[in-house]
Amino acid sequence: MFWPLERKHTPAFIQLNTQYTLTYDELYEQVKVFAASLTQHKEGKAFGIIYMRNSIPSMVAYLGALYKRDAVLLLDASLAEPLKQQFAVHYAPDWIFDEALQLCESEQSTNIDPQLAVLLSTSGSTGNPKLVRLSYANLQANAHSIATYLQLGADERPITTLSPAYSYGLSVINSHLLKGCTILLTDESIITANFWNLFRQYEATSFAGVPYIYQMLYRLRFHTIELPSLRYFTQAGGRLSETLITYFNDSADSRHIPFFIMYGQTEATARISFVPPHQLPTKIGSIGIAIPDGNLHLDSETGELIYTGPNVMLGYAEQREDLALGDVQQGVLNTGDLARQDEDGYFWIVGRMKRFMKLYGLRMNLDDLERFIESVALMPVACISHDEKLAIVTEGSLCEEDKQSIKQQLKAQYGIHHTSIELHALQKLPRLSSGKIDYTSLGKEGSL
């Protein structure tokens, strides 16, 4: 798999809160011990659940499951207890790991596809049982592609900022293990002073962030934070506003380091495309070009973005019996995103196929409306269709003057009458574990 065994005395992980260091040699020994404990319970391929933290025990359990060739569902350890129970009852695992191994007497005897390595939830915080099925080859291919376009070397020291149960966070782990790097493990929030003290103390070289993280870093005046060891930083997990892309690209330029904007989906084991940093100033808003070994094209009839590559999932699972399914996707992923391609071959997302509403008989793209309103309000915004009106939900309150300005500009730009607009303010927009806005929760009756 993707972690090397030859660099035996190099630290693989450093647990920052305890300063505990685990070398690759020690990691390999602990992985074998964990795998052996699983084998004692069930020799054949089994199914487990790991409640993941950015901790050495979680990493050992994850790699141990891969080593034994068990299939494993990765869920965030912070998941609410009722949702943990919901997944456990629905999928009936043979074992569960939550900082300690718990063996289960499952009554299920379902065959498990030999290729199946990892299952990830695209909406774990809502308890939706639909999972993405990833193979060993998917994990390996994506780790290799990411390490290639980021030009990772063995001396990189990434610091964790995302849950390893989220495809983006997991891909950071996998791609750096592939290159024998030292990974700095912490669940410390990126908005705390202690996070940046640890960053400097351990000379971290990179961090990854979803849009919500970058919105917070903007408020923290990221450009003023001294980080002499920082070599690059990356963004994925959703659309970042053009204002923030410009701000962070300027911050990267001032440090003489690259800033990588990327696009991906859990269904493709994380990343699908990236913008080469030297092209970013002229391609702000683009998702870039396909990652190495991948290909992007547009459906000629619908304009949907289609991705093909060795990192495309096997398919979905909605029940334990689905773990026996093979490769349904055959390397092809319909992303559900509408896109265009420019004259240089770069792709631009123009909306979601299902993120539309009708006003006055006209179809309106809610993603386009969000982008426009964010440029006016300069704060995170969510748009949904609510009671046949456009509901605009801001993260933070607006003064009456700003509300009127938004309504006036929507009328001027899109012809939307103020009577068709609802304005709501929340202290915090509901978000999934990926950091993306939870539109399902936002649209539930009584949430607005």
Side-chain angles (χ1 to χ4, degrees), residues 33 135 155 200 202 219 301 336 390 402:
V33 169
S135 70
D155 58 347
R200 286 183 283 268
Y202 288 91
R219 296 172 191 171
E301 294 185 3
L390 170 63
D402 288 337

Side-chain angles (χ1 to χ4, degrees), residues 134-295:
L134 301 175
S135 70
Y136 301 98
N138 291 156
L139 299 175
Q140 184 74 16
N142 205 231
H144 174 74
S145 292
I146 292 167
T148 299
Y149 73 75
L150 291 181
Q151 299 181 333
L152 299 183
D155 58 347
E156 297 290 346
R157 293 167 70 90
I159 189 169
T160 56
T161 52
L162 304 165
S163 168
Y166 167 43
S167 60
Y168 184 12
L170 187 66
S171 71
V172 171
I173 301 293
N174 294 347
S175 57
H176 285 88
L177 285 176
L178 176 71
K179 290 298 182 179
C181 305
T182 298
I183 300 172
L184 307 176
L185 296 174
T186 180
D187 280 322
E188 186 79 39
S189 171
I190 202 166
I191 65 171
T192 65
N194 190 45
F195 176 89
W196 299 108
N197 290 336
L198 291 170
F199 192 106
R200 286 183 283 268
Q201 179 183 347
Y202 288 91
E203 298 183 318
T205 58
S206 66
F207 68 89
V210 295
Y212 186 55
I213 285 177
Y214 280 98
Q215 289 160 0
M216 290 190 292
L217 289 179
Y218 177 72
R219 296 172 191 171
L220 289 174
R221 296 171 53 83
F222 174 76
H223 68 281
T224 66
I225 302 175
E226 291 292 329
L227 301 170
S229 61
L230 181 63
R231 296 181 185 176
Y232 73 93
F233 49 105
T234 66
Q235 184 271 319
R239 173 181 53 83
L240 194 63
S241 72
E242 293 189 7
T243 299
L244 291 187
I245 293 174
T246 301
Y247 171 81
F248 284 101
N249 185 58
D250 289 346
S251 295
D253 282 347
S254 69
R255 301 172 194 264
H256 307 291
I257 60 173
F259 173 39
F260 287 87
I261 293 283
M262 307 172 299
Y263 161 83
Q265 293 185 1
T266 303
E267 288 85 345
T269 325
R271 302 340 139 76
I272 287 175
S273 69
F274 73 105
V275 181
H278 69 279
Q279 293 280 20
L280 187 54
T282 60
K283 300 295 181 183
I284 289 178
S286 170
I287 63 165
I289 56 178
I291 64 173
D293 302 322
N295 178 267

Side-chain angles (χ1 to χ4, degrees), residues 350-368:
V350 298
R352 288 288 291 172
M353 294 189 74
K354 295 181 180 178
R355 286 273 292 152
F356 286 88
M357 68 174 295
K358 275 196 174 183
L359 274 180
Y360 326 119
L362 299 174
R363 291 177 84 239
M364 293 198 173
N365 187 316
L366 293 169
D367 294 309
D368 281 347

Side-chain angles (χ1 to χ4, degrees), residues 6 15 39 48 327 360 403:
E6 67 274 8
Q15 186 77 57
T39 302
D327 188 355
Y360 326 119
K403 291 179 182 178

Side-chain angles (χ1 to χ4, degrees), residues 33-100:
V33 169
F34 186 85
S37 66
L38 296 179
T39 302
Q40 287 177 354
H41 180 56
K42 186 174 181 179
E43 287 193 5
K45 191 177 184 76
F47 169 62
I49 296 177
I50 303 176
Y51 296 110
M52 296 291 288
R53 297 172 173 82
N54 283 306
S55 69
I56 286 175
S58 288
M59 299 304 156
V60 169
Y62 163 58
L63 297 174
L66 294 181
Y67 185 82
K68 193 225 169 206
R69 309 288 285 194
D70 276 2
V72 62
L73 167 58
L74 307 182
L75 293 172
D76 194 291
S78 66
L79 197 64
E81 197 61 37
L83 296 182
K84 289 182 178 181
Q85 292 296 322
Q86 192 172 314
F87 277 107
V89 170
H90 192 81
Y91 278 98
D94 299 297
W95 56 269
I96 295 173
F97 184 86
D98 192 357
E99 294 295 275

